[in-house]
Amino acid sequence: MQTAQRKSLTMLRWMMVASLALPVALFLIAAYVSYGTTFDEADRDIRRSLDVVHEHALKVFETIDRGLSETDELVRDLSDADIKAREQALHVRLRQLSDALPQMKSAWVFDAAGRPLVNSLIYPAPDMSFHDRDYFDAHVKGSIGTFVGARLTPRLPFQGAAFFSVSRRRESDDGRFTGVVQASVLPDYFERFYARIGRAQGSYFALRRYDGLTLARFPAAERSQAPAPHDIPAGAADTEQLVTETSPIDQVERRVGYQRLAGYPVYVSAGMETATITTRWLGTMSRHLIFGVPATALLVVLLTLARRRTEHLYVEAARRSEAEDALKHGQRMEALGQLTGGVAHDFNNLLTVIRASADLLRRPNLSEERRQRYIDAISDTVARASKLTSQLLAFARRQALKPEIFDLGRCVVTLRDMTKTLVGSRIQVVTSVPDEPCYVNADAGQFETALINMAVNARDAMAGQGVLSIAVATAADLPTPVALHDRPPLGYVTIAVEDTGVGIPQEQFSRIFEPFYTTKTIGQGTGLGLSQVFGFARQSGGEIAVVSEVGKGATFMLYLPRVTPAQDQRSESGSHAEPIGGGGMSVLVVEDNIDVGRSATEALAELGYRTTLVDNAKDALEELIDGSGRFDVVFTDVVMPGMTGLELAEEMRRLDLDIPVVLASGYSHVLAQQGSNGYELLRKPYSIEELSRVLHRMVPVPLDRAPPVAPSSEVR
């Protein structure tokens, strides 16, 4: 007890440590997972924003491109002189074009020397040269398609907002350079759009030229006119990859994605400040802390109080234990006296019969009829004693379950009187069994338990008054049909338990076989009865079905596969069947109780078996390894010091010793928990007739086996 108390206090201390360590560990794991999740969500937001700004920029540039095409089309077949002659009309047309496009500040047509021929701003065009502007100089040497210029401020005498240019080369029919068509685009148009969609904290958008030069940007910052080397990371603009970079303009670290406009030498980018993403993550974790810290503190306080309370209870328990010892001793002795008195009474009655029969057998001049009667009395009394021990072991949950072939109808008739007593005198029990035996292969004890559970369930449904009908019949198939190859050849045996109780509502049909499900009040049922019936039916290859209507009772149908009766069960008195001679069969007997072992070997020797007796599994293995061909079968006890009989059988299987094994046991917790693993099991006490039949079932030996061998018995 003191050891258990120390262990429980130690466990509480470890729980206090765990109550701190575990939440911290879980918080760190959650923080790591949340960190990755937060950045993944931010990346998805950035990609969605990038798609929006890309679509917007593409539409703007396509619109400007159409405006340039329209301007170029207006002056395509006109010489410089013709353009100047029509300047006023062309000016009006260009003015209408630029006014229709809010992103366009103005449209210009220049001659080969860089002088404006016509524009949308003023009429007439100023007499000045623009040959030094990048949007003109870029087209002089050759055709480069659409050119996007740097961000510029208007040249005097012009004033207004900054712009960047989109221009094309003008050529004659023979390919000579004749000038430039140019549109001035407002960066503010893009920045206003970015401001509308970038309301989330830390948002970032930009329009950049292919060399990294920024044309428009949000948030606004001081801009550099010179290209920014490496401003666009290599490869990032041509893939879906996002990069973490520090802007050379405002020195802010951001998570940024790039995308190029098809057909134009510009990129759009979208991003978010890493500080904003980190703030989001910290906000998420702080919400966890708001609940986690108080909960952890409360848990530590509760465990501390529990530890102190436990220590106090142990002290009080030690004091009470001393005062209760005397009372417990008296109660224990009384209970032990009741138990041993009942068992001793039954066994003394059985031993009295055996003793009297043995004494009468010693009397001289007994007739053969009286001698056989006394022998039968001893045999029957031993069988009754064996049944009593089996019942005790089953009550203690120490009896190994073993399927057997039995007549189900006969079993129902045997249980009829007990069922009447169980359900009470106010319930009429009606049984119906067919004249033809109905054999099944199942655990008889489990079947009896299942039948009792169904009867108890019916009794409770009838409130102790009504009619309980138990009928045995045969059926060709289950209510739920199975495949033809899975159907037993003889069909099924059905046990119908019908009551006149309150019935079962339809909505409860799917739950009545669930473990611990019950509609009874607390203390009236555990909900395990019908669950046991369901499990028994499935394990036995059958099924349980129910038919019920509220107010008209219920009928439970238990289906079990029907089998052919075993040969030894066709005899009415199998316990008195004649033993089978050994015919020279060699048996290795392994029994740690030397008296039991000698009795078995001497009885087998009388029947013509060759026997070798060893008292432990280790010596048995040595005998088998040295000469496994000497033995036809191994007959071993289960409970032995060191290696058990079941372990001996498993070791023989591991060593590939192909010799049949028969186990014998009157009690074994190993068999109760694990079963016999497929080995033949003979229960103690056994008769020599049972032993000889089991041995011949394992190793059939013809009675005319030649040459005959004189019976012998060796003890090792």
Side-chain angles (χ1 to χ4, degrees):
M1 178 63 71
Q2 293 180 353
T3 302
Q5 291 177 359
R6 286 195 298 269
K7 288 183 177 179
S8 63
L9 290 174
T10 301
M11 183 182 67
L12 283 173
R13 294 189 189 100
W14 279 110
M15 288 177 64
M16 291 175 63
V17 174
S19 65
L20 289 174
L22 185 59
V24 170
L26 292 176
F27 178 79
L28 293 177
I29 294 173
Y32 176 78
V33 173
S34 177
Y35 186 83
T37 302
T38 303
F39 270 79
D40 289 342
E41 291 177 354
D43 284 354
R44 287 193 291 270
D45 291 341
I46 292 170
R47 289 191 177 94
R48 286 193 291 267
S49 298
L50 186 60
D51 290 339
V52 172
V53 296
H54 174 269
E55 184 69 21
H56 172 263
L58 187 61
K59 290 182 178 179
V60 170
F61 274 88
E62 287 177 346
T63 303
I64 295 172
D65 211 19
R66 286 195 297 271
L68 289 177
S69 298
E70 185 176 344
T71 302
D72 189 47
E73 191 66 27
L74 289 174
V75 298
R76 177 178 298 278
D77 298 327
L78 301 177
S79 63
D80 291 351
D82 293 336
I83 294 173
K84 292 300 292 182
R86 302 181 184 181
E87 181 181 0
Q88 185 175 5
L90 293 173
H91 165 74
V92 173
R93 184 66 186 92
L94 293 180
R95 182 69 174 257
Q96 293 173 347
L97 176 63
S98 63
D99 290 343
L101 301 177
Q103 67 269 32
M104 185 183 295
K105 180 179 181 180
S106 60
W108 296 72
V109 179
F110 298 95
D111 62 12
R115 292 183 176 276
L117 297 175
V118 63
N119 65 85
S120 63
L121 285 179
I122 59 175
Y123 171 80
D127 185 15
M128 55 189 304
S129 177
F130 291 85
H131 70 279
D132 57 335
R133 291 289 199 179
D134 59 352
Y135 55 79
F136 183 87
D137 184 63
H139 296 286
V140 174
K141 296 180 180 179
S143 178
I144 60 172
T146 301
F147 174 78
V148 178
R151 185 174 177 127
L152 303 173
T153 56
R155 176 175 292 177
L156 294 175
F158 303 103
Q159 297 180 356
F163 67 93
F164 66 87
S165 61
V166 179
S167 58
R168 288 185 184 178
R169 175 187 175 96
R170 293 178 58 221
E171 294 181 346
S172 63
D173 293 338
D174 57 1
R176 288 183 303 104
F177 175 67
T178 60
V180 171
V181 177
Q182 181 260 350
S184 298
V185 181
L186 295 170
D188 290 345
Y189 178 81
F190 291 91
E191 292 173 351
R192 287 194 300 271
F193 175 75
Y194 296 158
R196 288 198 303 272
I197 65 173
R199 296 181 179 179
Q201 184 178 1
S203 296
Y204 166 78
F205 303 99
L207 177 68
R208 304 186 186 187
R209 210 165 64 172
Y210 68 97
D211 56 358
L213 184 66
T214 300
L215 302 176
R217 186 181 188 276
F218 175 83
E222 184 179 352
R223 300 175 177 86
S224 172
Q225 296 295 327
H230 310 296
D231 200 26
I232 300 179
D238 299 319
T239 65
E240 294 185 356
Q241 175 187 1
L242 301 183
V243 295
T244 301
E245 63 178 18
T246 301
S247 172
I249 297 177
D250 55 14
Q251 306 303 314
V252 176
E253 184 182 83
R254 294 182 176 89
R255 186 79 172 153
V256 183
Y258 293 87
Q259 193 168 355
R260 184 171 182 174
L261 266 65
Y264 302 97
V266 292
Y267 294 90
V268 290
S269 58
M272 184 176 295
E273 294 181 11
T274 54
T276 300
I277 303 175
T278 304
T279 301
R280 290 184 182 179
W281 170 67
L282 292 175
T284 301
M285 299 313 301
S286 64
R287 288 191 292 273
H288 292 324
L289 287 175
I290 290 174
F291 296 99
V293 171
T296 302
L298 179 61
L299 181 60
V300 172
V301 170
L302 291 176
L303 288 174
T304 302
L305 294 175
R307 180 173 173 271
R308 293 179 179 177
R309 179 63 177 169
T310 302
E311 292 175 344
H312 178 72
L313 289 176
Y314 284 155
V315 173
E316 292 294 326
R319 294 174 181 173
R320 286 198 301 267
S321 178
E322 296 177 0
E324 293 174 355
D325 277 346
L327 178 61
K328 287 184 178 180
H329 180 72
Q331 292 174 340
R332 189 182 303 112
M333 294 304 296
E334 181 181 356
L336 184 60
Q338 293 175 354
L339 177 62
T340 56
V343 174
H345 177 269
D346 290 343
F347 265 99
N348 281 334
N349 288 339
L350 299 175
L351 293 175
T352 299
V353 175
I354 295 173
R355 180 63 180 268
S357 298
D359 290 342
L360 290 172
L361 285 173
R362 291 193 182 98
R363 298 181 63 183
N365 302 323
L366 282 176
S367 65
E368 183 62 27
E369 186 271 333
R370 293 184 64 188
R371 178 177 174 274
Q372 186 61 45
R373 189 169 70 236
Y374 296 149
I375 293 174
D376 291 343
I378 293 175
S379 178
D380 292 341
T381 305
V382 171
R384 290 167 59 193
S386 175
K387 184 176 181 180
L388 176 60
T389 58
S390 296
Q391 291 172 343
L392 291 174
L393 290 174
F395 178 78
R397 304 297 191 198
R398 295 294 190 182
Q399 187 68 287
L401 301 179
K402 182 180 180 182
E404 57 182 294
I405 297 176
F406 63 93
D407 182 3
L408 193 143
R410 186 175 181 181
C411 184
V412 169
V413 172
T414 303
L415 292 174
R416 178 171 51 195
D417 293 338
M418 186 178 70
T419 304
K420 289 181 178 179
T421 303
L422 180 68
V423 300
S425 59
R426 294 198 302 163
I427 293 180
Q428 180 184 358
V429 179
V430 180
T431 57
S432 173
V433 297
D435 296 333
E436 179 186 6
C438 298
Y439 291 99
V440 296
N441 185 18
D443 188 276
Q446 287 286 307
F447 168 73
E448 293 175 0
T449 302
L451 185 59
I452 289 172
N453 282 333
M454 289 190 289
V456 169
N457 189 72
R459 178 199 66 188
D460 295 340
M462 293 184 289
Q465 185 174 1
V467 178
L468 173 64
S469 301
I470 304 175
V472 179
T474 59
D477 207 346
L478 296 175
T480 305
V482 297
L484 185 62
H485 61 275
D486 292 332
R487 188 182 306 165
L490 299 181
Y492 296 87
V493 180
T494 66
I495 308 93
V497 179
E498 182 179 0
D499 62 67
T500 57
V502 296
I504 304 172
Q506 189 70 29
E507 61 271 13
Q508 294 181 5
F509 273 33
S510 61
R511 301 197 62 192
I512 57 176
F513 297 112
E514 292 181 5
F516 304 108
Y517 176 77
T518 179
T519 58
K520 301 173 185 177
T521 59
I522 297 176
Q524 298 298 316
T526 62
L528 291 175
L530 293 180
S531 174
Q532 182 272 337
V533 179
F534 179 84
F536 167 71
R538 288 298 178 90
Q539 292 172 359
S540 303
E543 188 175 299
I544 178 73
V546 60
V547 177
S548 179
E549 185 176 347
V550 176
K552 297 184 179 180
T555 302
F556 286 84
M557 302 284 292
L558 175 62
Y559 292 77
L560 296 175
R562 189 178 183 184
V563 299
T564 304
Q567 183 67 32
D568 58 349
Q569 289 175 319
R570 295 177 183 178
S571 174
E572 291 295 328
S573 58
S575 61
H576 299 289
E578 291 296 326
I580 301 177
M585 181 190 301
S586 179
V587 184
L588 176 62
V589 180
V590 188
E591 174 62 65
D592 63 316
N593 188 310
I594 198 65
D595 293 332
V596 176
R598 286 186 183 278
S599 299
T601 55
E602 290 173 1
L604 290 173
E606 289 293 329
L607 295 176
Y609 294 84
R610 293 183 300 165
T611 60
T612 300
L613 174 63
V614 294
D615 61 359
N616 61 81
K618 181 179 179 182
D619 292 346
L621 276 178
E622 293 179 356
E623 290 285 342
L624 292 169
I625 294 174
D626 292 342
S628 61
R630 296 167 44 205
F631 303 105
D632 297 311
V633 63
V634 175
F635 177 53
T636 177
D637 189 20
V638 174
V639 181
M640 294 185 295
M643 183 183 296
T644 66
L646 190 58
E647 292 171 342
L648 170 63
E650 293 296 328
E651 185 67 14
M652 291 173 57
R653 180 180 290 176
R654 189 184 69 82
L655 295 174
D656 292 331
L657 298 176
D658 190 16
I659 304 175
V661 177
V662 177
L663 302 176
S665 177
Y667 159 80
S668 173
H669 69 281
V670 176
L671 291 177
Q673 294 172 358
Q674 301 178 3
S676 60
N677 288 357
Y679 300 105
E680 189 68 26
L681 176 63
L682 188 63
R683 301 187 187 279
K684 292 181 179 180
Y686 51 82
S687 67
I688 191 62
E689 293 85 358
E690 292 175 324
L691 176 57
S692 65
R693 290 182 180 277
V694 170
L695 294 177
H696 271 267
R697 188 160 65 245
M698 300 300 295
V699 186
V701 178
L703 297 178
D704 59 349
R705 180 173 177 173
V709 181
S712 64
S713 178
E714 303 177 13
V715 180
R716 301 292 184 188

